[in-house]
């Protein structure tokens, strides 16, 4: 394994542990800026996993869509 291979493996390991903001999609950066980690992992993601993938994927394209997804996730948790 050459030097480039070793550097590639090291960078991959670092990005698994800590992903820099520039490597995240815009919707993920928005969620992390606006909401707490416990809300994202405990409320939003479980609710979104129950939804149709095409439905939530199209809503992730805009801030208004993300807010709608958050509203739906909170509503489903209360129900």
């Amino acid at each position: 394994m050459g030097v480039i291979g070793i550097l590639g493996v090291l960078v991959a390991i670092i990005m698994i542990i800590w992903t820099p903001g520039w490597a995240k999609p815009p919707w993920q950066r928005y969620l992390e800026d606006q909401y707490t980690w416990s809300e994202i992992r405990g409320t939003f993601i479980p609710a979104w996993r129950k939804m149709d993938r095409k439905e939530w994927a199209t809503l992730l394209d805009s801030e208004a869509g993300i807010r709608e997804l958050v509203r739906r996730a909170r509503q489903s948790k209360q129900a």
Side-chain angles (χ1 to χ4, degrees), residues 15-35:
M15 289 188 73
I16 288 170
I17 296 169
W18 173 77
T19 305
W22 57 265
K24 296 177 185 178
W27 62 266
Q28 184 178 355
R29 289 192 306 265
Y30 178 80
L31 278 175
E32 290 174 351
D33 289 343
Q34 300 297 317
Y35 305 100

Side-chain angles (χ1 to χ4, degrees), residues 61-78:
D61 289 341
S62 67
E63 288 181 18
I66 294 171
R67 286 192 299 270
E68 174 63 18
L69 282 171
V70 167
R71 185 192 67 76
R72 291 182 189 182
R74 287 179 173 158
Q75 189 176 32
S76 72
K77 187 170 183 171
Q78 292 175 354

